[in-house]
Amino acid sequence: MATDSNSRLPIIDISPLLVKCDDPNMKEDTGVVEVVRKLDRACRDVGFFYVTGHGISESFMKKVKEMSHQFFELPYAEKLKIKITPAAGYRGYQRMGLNLTGGKQDFHEAIDCYKEFEQGKYGETGKAMEGPNQWPENPQEYKELMDKYIKLCIDLSRNILRGISLAFGGSPYEFEGKLVGDPFWIMRIIGYPGVNQENVIGCGAHTDYGLLSLINQDDDKTALQVKNLAGDWISVTPIPGSFVCNIGDMLKVLSNGVYESTLHRVINNSPRYRVCVGFFYEINFDAMAEPLDIFKEKYPGDERSQLSKRVVYGEHLVNKLQTTFANLMEHN
């Protein structure tokens, strides 16, 4: 499988999958078969891969990052107009050092967005996250741009998961019923200041919460690092026009541990400001994630597959948020 010489992560052209994404017989197409094979291998071996041939233009991906840079360049007082609070459903701007990973402050600022839902829809669990996303007035048209971007990422994530579903040995649509018929999503627009010293932790080592992540990072700065099976940190060199894709905790649970949600971190050793836009595609907020029968049957002897874990996604997410922002009330 092709890999970038610096990062050694798989590069997967998913265009054959997109051509056949609405064909129920897609698994019979030789191009789709090859994409599915590569997705399966990447999910087993490292949990991270580059996605090319995804149909979202490089110029549009770049515009998303450029407008995000413009927001982070605003005066601090201006950014605080959309300040994140528990009362705002953990949505909005978080200042530098507010985010905690492993109990330690991360050196980044961000705008956090989540799928909006009706008040009371998810009962007591969902109450903590109720409310509209907060968008800045500047730059102008930022909200409209990001709304379009979110729709494109939802479609792309759904189609990649059709390929992963085939890799499971299921139909292409395993993720589109009661499990992901009403997918939740998260978007974090993250800014990492330039530094004049090495190894400042922009974001500490963590795994992602949900199913699938699409990372749109600045093309000219290498900061994302992935921990491989050998325990080494691999630098993920940007490939212009690509997404860095990785699987999260929920897919690890569904696959009974056969697919790995991999530790990763961000260290921006560049003196220049770095932007990364992360889109996270999740299962239904109120869905129960547990190992799929096909994995329990297919891999009964696999040591990694003995998770026997059940978790409601929304409870998992709210718990993670309240841990991450444990100091929000005290310092906000």
Side-chain angles (χ1 to χ4, degrees):
M1 191 184 304
T3 60
D4 179 87
S5 59
N6 293 317
S7 71
R8 293 164 288 168
L9 291 184
I11 302 170
I12 305 177
D13 179 352
I14 64 164
S15 54
L17 180 65
L18 297 188
V19 170
K20 297 286 185 177
C21 64
D22 294 320
D23 182 351
N25 298 315
M26 67 173 76
K27 66 180 180 181
E28 297 171 9
D29 181 84
T30 55
V32 170
V33 168
E34 181 62 12
V35 173
V36 168
R37 184 189 69 80
K38 291 179 178 180
L39 287 171
D40 183 55
R41 189 64 176 272
C43 290
R44 289 172 187 272
D45 290 352
V46 67
F48 267 80
F49 47 95
Y50 295 97
V51 169
T52 63
H54 48 69
I56 301 176
S57 74
E58 183 177 342
S59 61
F60 186 74
M61 292 175 69
K62 190 171 289 187
K63 187 173 182 182
V64 165
K65 289 176 289 193
E66 286 173 350
M67 291 191 79
S68 300
H69 270 282
Q70 289 172 30
F71 170 78
F72 288 122
E73 289 167 2
L74 293 173
Y76 181 57
E78 186 73 16
K79 291 183 282 192
L80 280 181
K81 289 180 179 179
I82 59 165
K83 173 173 72 171
I84 192 171
T85 63
Y90 296 95
R91 302 164 188 261
Y93 169 74
Q94 57 163 282
R95 60 166 175 76
M96 202 78 63
L98 184 62
N99 198 83
L100 299 179
T101 302
K104 296 181 179 179
Q105 287 185 320
D106 292 319
F107 193 58
H108 70 248
E109 55 186 333
I111 302 175
D112 286 4
C113 310
Y114 302 90
K115 181 176 182 175
E116 296 176 359
F117 53 88
E118 295 175 7
Q119 188 173 351
K121 181 175 182 177
Y122 299 121
E124 281 302 308
T125 302
K127 194 173 183 179
M129 299 189 66
E130 289 177 352
N133 288 318
Q134 299 195 76
W135 292 102
E137 293 181 3
N138 292 309
Q140 291 183 352
E141 301 178 359
Y142 190 44
K143 180 184 184 299
E144 290 75 11
L145 178 83
M146 299 311 288
D147 282 344
K148 180 180 177 182
Y149 182 73
I150 289 164
K151 288 175 183 175
L152 291 170
C153 287
I154 289 171
D155 289 343
L156 175 58
S157 300
R158 181 178 62 246
N159 289 327
I160 293 172
L161 279 166
R162 287 180 177 177
I164 291 176
S165 184
L166 288 174
F168 275 11
S171 83
Y173 312 114
E174 298 289 332
F175 291 109
E176 293 168 42
K178 63 180 181 178
L179 192 63
V180 200
D182 183 24
F184 200 71
W185 57 261
I186 300 169
M187 186 168 66
R188 299 199 71 224
I189 305 156
I190 311 173
Y192 298 93
V195 297
N196 56 11
Q197 56 185 308
E198 289 193 351
N199 299 324
V200 174
I201 305 296
C203 187
H206 65 283
T207 58
D208 291 340
Y209 309 158
L211 276 181
L212 195 71
S213 306
L214 299 176
I215 307 302
N216 178 12
Q217 58 179 338
D218 274 347
D219 294 333
D220 56 348
K221 308 168 193 82
T222 298
L224 177 62
Q225 298 179 356
V226 173
K227 198 168 194 176
N228 66 12
L229 291 178
D232 300 321
W233 286 104
I234 299 173
S235 291
V236 183
T237 306
I239 297 177
S242 74
F243 284 99
V244 176
C245 190
N246 65 285
I247 61 179
D249 298 340
M250 293 298 104
L251 194 54
K252 179 177 180 177
V253 171
L254 294 173
S255 70
N256 212 14
V258 174
Y259 288 173
E260 188 63 55
S261 55
T262 306
L263 279 172
H264 51 288
R265 66 186 184 186
V266 177
I267 298 178
N268 181 24
N269 285 329
S270 169
R272 292 173 298 152
Y273 198 97
R274 173 182 181 266
V275 159
C276 169
V277 181
F279 180 84
F280 308 95
Y281 191 77
E282 320 288 77
I283 64 175
N284 299 355
F285 190 87
D286 55 357
M288 173 72 74
E290 57 185 318
L292 299 175
D293 288 341
I294 189 169
F295 276 97
K296 289 188 285 190
E297 294 164 4
K298 203 170 179 181
Y299 303 100
D302 190 322
E303 291 181 7
R304 287 191 300 166
S305 72
Q306 305 307 308
L307 287 180
S308 300
K309 185 176 181 180
R310 303 177 76 214
V311 59
V312 175
Y313 168 71
E315 294 175 2
H316 180 68
L317 174 61
V318 170
N319 179 63
K320 288 269 194 178
L321 280 175
Q322 291 175 340
T323 302
T324 299
F325 295 113
N327 63 345
L328 189 57
M329 291 299 291
E330 182 181 349
H331 295 96
N332 202 58

